[in-house]
Amino acid sequence: MSYNGIGLTTVRGTATSGHVQYNAGHVRNSSRRHRTHKNANDGRGGWSSFGRGGGNNNVNESDSKLLTAQALKEGASSLALHEKKRQLEVRLFELRDRLEDRGGMKEEDIDREVDLQRKRTVEGWEEEERIGKERELFLQRQQHGLG
């Protein structure tokens, strides 16, 4: 009594009927793809652009793309920014730990020093971003002969 090589060759001595059931925990790819698409489009179906028909036919072609280049860029930059902030907080925690171990400073002085270091770092990031945007704009003008 086997089904596609699954199950017993004989049910003798097993005290079972030998009935083979399907795997209810298996998720088919089409179902996973559908959920991923729906999540990426904020719950809108919009399968019409994928050749499936039906669904919400007034969805733009650009809206129905799962991952556009801009979405990937924004996602990557937000992840990079999050990692950058996380690393900053780790460094600030280490600074706080060193200041506390050194002793001789009040808790409010330590807080002030950590906040000052955080503010300096974030201002440095903002300055780097501003300079980067200015440089990008300058290079665009140079390329197009406007500058």
Side-chain angles (χ1 to χ4, degrees):
M1 303 298 297
S2 67
Y3 176 74
N4 285 344
I6 299 171
L8 304 169
T9 55
T10 179
V11 295
R12 298 178 83 186
T14 63
T16 65
S17 67
H19 178 71
V20 178
Q21 298 177 344
Y22 74 98
N23 184 358
H26 178 69
V27 179
R28 295 176 51 193
N29 283 337
S30 62
S31 176
R32 183 178 302 143
R33 188 171 47 244
H34 180 70
R35 275 197 316 267
T36 302
H37 174 77
K38 200 167 185 179
N39 288 340
N41 289 306
D42 297 328
R44 295 186 310 269
W47 280 105
S48 60
S49 64
F50 289 97
R52 297 240 174 183
N56 189 357
N57 290 330
N58 60 2
V59 176
N60 295 359
E61 178 105 5
S62 62
D63 286 345
S64 63
K65 290 182 181 175
L66 283 176
L67 296 173
T68 62
Q70 182 179 0
L72 285 172
K73 184 178 179 182
E74 288 174 1
S77 65
S78 69
L79 288 174
L81 179 61
H82 176 77
E83 181 64 21
K84 202 174 185 182
K85 287 179 180 178
R86 193 185 69 76
Q87 289 294 329
L88 171 63
E89 291 301 320
V90 168
R91 287 197 319 264
L92 292 175
F93 184 77
E94 290 171 351
L95 172 65
R96 174 182 294 279
D97 198 36
R98 281 195 309 270
L99 292 175
E100 288 173 352
D101 287 345
R102 192 180 307 162
M105 288 183 79
K106 295 180 182 177
E107 187 69 29
E108 56 202 28
D109 293 336
I110 293 173
D111 288 340
R112 191 175 306 116
E113 180 65 30
V114 169
D115 289 339
L116 181 65
Q117 189 66 30
R118 180 183 291 116
K119 184 179 177 185
R120 285 179 186 159
T121 305
V122 171
E123 286 174 353
W125 291 348
E126 290 170 352
E127 181 68 16
E128 287 175 6
E129 185 177 345
R130 186 186 62 77
I131 290 172
K133 286 181 180 180
E134 287 178 0
R135 181 177 297 131
E136 186 177 317
L137 185 62
F138 175 75
L139 291 175
Q140 285 177 355
R141 287 182 178 161
Q142 289 294 320
Q143 277 182 333
H144 297 293
L146 300 174

